[in-house]
Amino acid sequence: MTRMVNKRLTLKMIAGAAAASLLAPLSWAQTSATKFVSLVVPYPAGGTSDVIARALIGEMAKSLGQTVIVENQGGAGGTIAAQKVLNAPADGHAIFVGSPNELILAPMAIAASKFKSEDFQMIQKLGDFTLVVLAHKSIPASNVDELMAYAAQRAKEGNPLTYGSVGIGTIYHLLGEQISKLTGVPMTHVPYRGGSALMPDLAGGQIDLYFGSLGTNASGLISNGRLKVLGVISPERLDTYKSVPSVNESKSLKGFTYSLWQGLFVKKGTPESVIQVLHKAATSALNDPAVARTAMGGAQMVLAKPQTLAQAEQAYADSIERYRAIAKSIGLKPE
């Protein structure tokens, strides 16, 4: 009799646990129905991250049964936006749209930053950006070798080329530093608050170069001839820019290949049931054809295949290790 009672209790407990796991997402949506979910973008409106975030909100709102908005919070290499998410309750209503730039490199480069990479949890990878060497139309070079020869000449004359980035410590800053280190050619770094501010200056000739993602703000400027792509920072040429050589084909920067991903993050300590709901909504958005069109078109991002939560966490941990090694190799110090 005792054994039978225990068996019934065990079955009840299993059934209860299963029911609780099914009701947890619904409970979160019901208890927070008066709140909205924010996708916090660490740059001003109009940039690549902003375009991707706005493409996601429709499908995510449908999945969550809640309003999803985009909040733009530029400045300090993305650390202001990151801190905003960390200052919010760990309830899933503030989601950071981030990359290694803001979450891994910025804490090592910006002395005022008060958080660690491990304070965030990735809930889904969104995709990978195409990285390129982009130059103002007046730069007398058609490939990377010609560019570095010209850069060496300018440096010798005491007038080094300038390159822009979206903040100190971002991968775009590190690419410039790494190129200078590998070639022995000094260049001057000019940080901006975001791509929407950087690209007009590059197109206007206020800065000479940009080593970074080929996104929304760049595509039109390339099409009308105000900017030119001198190389893609990938092992091979890209199908979308077959005529542009890979930097790997050059003599001066052979083997110089990098990529940059973007993902959705929440504050560490967010309840597992909430993370599951958000992961499902993000995965649904990745499978939306409209999001894919926006990513490949305006943002020049290759959408990721949806990952499990375990895969996303492992990918983030691996990136932390890799980017910290890159930062160490160039002697990145907090400023």
Side-chain angles (χ1 to χ4, degrees):
M1 176 68 88
T2 303
R3 187 177 294 175
M4 188 176 293
V5 170
N6 286 340
K7 188 175 181 181
R8 286 175 182 166
L9 285 172
T10 302
L11 289 172
K12 277 187 177 181
M13 289 169 68
I14 292 171
S21 67
L22 290 171
L23 290 172
L26 180 62
S27 174
W28 178 68
Q30 286 176 336
T31 56
S32 55
T34 58
K35 299 177 73 174
F36 52 79
V37 174
S38 296
L39 297 187
V40 182
V41 175
Y43 302 106
T48 302
S49 297
D50 179 67
V51 169
I52 289 293
R54 292 181 191 280
L56 295 171
I57 57 177
E59 187 61 33
M60 287 190 71
K62 271 197 279 183
S63 297
L64 295 172
Q66 288 181 266
T67 300
V68 181
I69 67 167
V70 172
E71 283 191 70
N72 299 94
Q73 185 75 66
T79 59
I80 293 174
Q83 196 61 59
K84 180 183 178 72
V85 173
L86 291 181
N87 289 343
D91 61 4
H93 287 91
I95 302 173
F96 189 74
V97 184
S99 73
N101 279 334
E102 309 84 27
L103 296 181
I104 305 174
L105 295 171
M108 292 187 287
I110 299 172
S113 174
K114 303 300 180 189
F115 67 87
K116 305 186 300 295
S117 306
E118 291 81 0
D119 293 335
F120 288 86
Q121 179 177 344
M122 186 193 281
I123 57 172
Q124 188 59 274
K125 179 181 176 180
L126 296 177
D128 296 280
F129 290 113
T130 299
L131 297 180
V132 297
V133 178
L134 204 56
H136 182 257
K137 64 180 181 180
S138 65
I139 299 296
S142 58
N143 57 53
V144 169
D145 286 328
E146 290 177 3
L147 171 65
M148 295 320 301
Y150 177 64
Q153 176 192 324
R154 285 276 298 266
K156 191 174 180 180
E157 294 168 354
N159 184 26
L161 291 179
T162 56
Y163 70 95
S165 81
V166 294
I168 293 169
T170 59
I171 185 64
Y172 313 135
H173 173 205
L174 265 64
L175 289 174
E177 293 291 327
Q178 187 80 328
I179 288 171
S180 287
K181 181 181 177 181
L182 291 171
T183 61
V185 178
M187 294 181 287
T188 301
H189 174 230
V190 182
Y192 286 80
R193 289 174 64 89
S196 56
L198 185 158
M199 284 302 161
D201 275 10
L202 181 59
Q206 280 78 26
I207 55 174
D208 302 307
L209 303 168
Y210 171 63
F211 310 110
S213 58
L214 185 58
T216 313
N217 298 299
S219 300
L221 296 170
I222 294 167
S223 298
N224 65 27
R226 297 178 69 188
L227 299 178
K228 53 186 176 181
V229 185
L230 301 183
V232 293
I233 307 174
S234 58
E236 299 174 348
R237 298 190 184 205
L238 301 175
D239 290 338
T240 47
Y241 283 90
K242 275 289 188 187
S243 62
V244 179
S246 162
V247 170
N248 198 34
E249 297 174 38
S250 69
K251 293 178 181 178
S252 53
L253 288 173
K254 188 167 183 60
F256 187 80
T257 61
Y258 286 91
S259 63
L260 179 70
W261 52 259
Q262 188 174 60
L264 296 179
F265 294 81
V266 291
K267 182 178 179 178
K268 202 69 174 279
T270 299
E272 182 66 21
S273 58
V274 173
I275 288 174
Q276 292 283 356
V277 175
L278 296 176
H279 175 261
K280 184 178 178 182
T283 301
S284 177
L286 279 181
N287 290 323
D288 182 5
V291 173
R293 285 194 297 272
T294 299
M296 290 299 293
Q300 292 293 309
M301 173 194 270
V302 178
L303 277 189
K305 291 181 180 177
Q307 297 179 323
T308 65
L309 278 167
Q311 288 171 331
E313 286 191 72
Q314 186 59 55
Y316 184 43
D318 292 344
S319 285
I320 291 173
E321 186 177 345
R322 179 172 187 240
Y323 280 94
R324 282 178 178 167
I326 295 170
K328 184 179 180 181
S329 75
I330 66 163
L332 182 66
K333 303 264 192 236
E335 294 182 20

